[in-house]
Amino acid sequence: MASSSSSAPAVGPEIPWVEKFRPTKVADIVGNEDAVARLQVIARDGNMPNLILAGPPGTGKTTSILALAHELLGPNYREAVLELNASDDRGIDVVRNKIKMFAQKKVTLPPGRHKIIILDEADSMTSGAQQALRRTMEIYSNSTRFALACNTSSKIIEPIQSRCALVRFARLSDQEILGRLMVVVAAEKVHTFSVCDKYAVLNYTLLEQLSSKLSVKSVNVLNVVTFLISEMHFPAFI
Ligand SMILES: Nc1ncnc2c1ncn2[C@@H]1O[C@H](COP(=O)(O)OP(=O)(O)OP(=O)(O)O)[C@@H](O)[C@H]1O
Ligand SMILES: [Mg+2]
């Protein structure tokens, strides 16, 4: 998914590639075909159930929720979506106040559409906050749906789990990651580059080599790619 501006050198403040190339449509999310197919049905039909998206880091959970919310709510996104991530306080007071106030807010939406509260990294919420969340979830289910992202669904209290559809994300294969990386590399016209991780700096001049070399270090591929995409300030770019 290359944006139309991606073929031109970036002007003004650089958008980190991790954001620039974050898919904006559910259909553009790589891998996890079953999960993506389920989310596409919801995007098409509406009536989003409460959702838990669970899986390892960097597999597209947050990306999927954001894309789904945009597809469902379009121009209403700003007033109909509340995003709370791990850097926001999501303790019991926030659940009682901010989340509840948003759930009570009246927003006129088309049939089959609901306000959405996105709780990223929900497994880091205390059980007290989760209990309060469960009640809000129950009370406002007519107007407001929740989408929780987490690494481990077992850290979500059972009463919330039982009110949510669970969508599991698995690690992407090396080929899937590399395929996506190649999209970035092609869009940014990168021909020669360095791949850095904590322990090594590897120079590959041919993209084909990158593919075979990286799969040897498969455990680190995701880290390397995440690092590559998020910390694009290597002097070695030509
Ligand atoms: N399946 C995917 N398809 C395409 N791009 C992806 C995919 N997964 C991750 N990415 C890329 O990696 C970035 C991080 O993904 P995302 O934030 O969705 O991961 P996450 O599953 O929420 O991870 P975490 O558990 O760390 O929050 C995205 O901005 C996107 O550029
Ligand atoms: Mg996330």
Side-chain angles (χ1 to χ4, degrees):
M1 189 262 343
S3 72
S4 54
S5 63
S6 60
S7 54
V11 284
E14 286 271 333
I15 306 168
W17 286 10
V18 71
E19 290 306 331
K20 185 171 179 180
F21 292 94
R22 187 193 284 276
T24 55
K25 296 203 177 75
V26 174
D28 293 336
I29 289 158
V30 174
N32 284 295
E33 284 84 4
D34 291 350
V36 170
R38 282 177 73 188
L39 298 177
Q40 278 185 286
V41 170
I42 298 171
R44 188 192 64 208
D45 298 347
N47 282 322
M48 185 187 103
N50 293 315
L51 290 173
I52 294 177
L53 282 74
T59 46
K61 303 178 300 295
T62 301
T63 305
S64 300
I65 294 180
L66 294 174
L68 177 62
H70 276 288
E71 284 182 50
L72 284 169
L73 294 167
N76 296 309
Y77 186 96
R78 270 175 68 95
E79 58 168 354
V81 177
L82 176 64
E83 287 177 44
L84 292 174
N85 57 43
S87 57
D88 299 305
D89 178 11
R90 292 148 335 147
I92 195 158
D93 291 339
V94 169
V95 177
R96 287 202 182 116
N97 301 319
K98 197 168 181 178
I99 293 182
K100 197 167 151 193
M101 268 173 59
F102 179 82
Q104 287 171 335
K105 187 171 88 164
K106 293 251 177 300
V107 179
T108 306
L109 296 171
R113 299 294 185 269
H114 304 83
K115 283 178 292 168
I116 299 175
I117 299 179
I118 298 174
L119 289 164
D120 223 350
E121 300 177 43
D123 41 358
S124 65
M125 291 175 78
T126 63
S127 70
Q130 291 192 34
Q131 291 291 353
L133 188 65
R134 163 212 178 159
R135 288 194 44 74
T136 311
M137 211 175 234
E138 262 167 23
I139 296 168
Y140 300 99
S141 65
N142 279 341
S143 66
T144 308
R145 301 290 160 83
F146 288 76
L148 281 62
C150 60
N151 294 136
T152 327
S153 61
S154 59
K155 288 195 187 148
I156 307 291
I157 59 171
E158 205 283 329
I160 292 184
Q161 286 191 48
S162 66
R163 285 174 176 77
C164 295
L166 177 63
V167 182
R168 284 192 189 284
F169 281 70
R171 233 171 257 293
L172 303 188
S173 70
D174 291 354
Q175 284 313 311
E176 287 168 333
I177 294 172
L178 285 165
R180 184 67 186 155
L181 181 60
M182 292 314 150
V183 170
V184 176
V185 161
E188 295 292 334
K189 300 196 185 337
V190 176
H191 299 299
T192 303
F193 56 92
S194 301
V195 178
C196 304
D197 70 10
K198 253 183 181 166
Y199 308 106
V201 178
L202 311 168
N203 279 297
Y204 303 120
T205 47
L206 293 171
L207 300 179
E208 290 80 1
Q209 274 181 297
L210 176 74
S211 162
S212 58
K213 291 268 171 59
L214 281 183
S215 58
V216 175
K217 286 162 54 81
S218 60
V219 176
N220 281 330
V221 168
L222 193 55
N223 293 341
V224 169
V225 172
T226 304
F227 184 88
L228 176 69
I229 293 177
S230 61
E231 313 248 340
M232 286 312 302
H233 49 235
F234 304 145
F237 270 75
I238 293 173

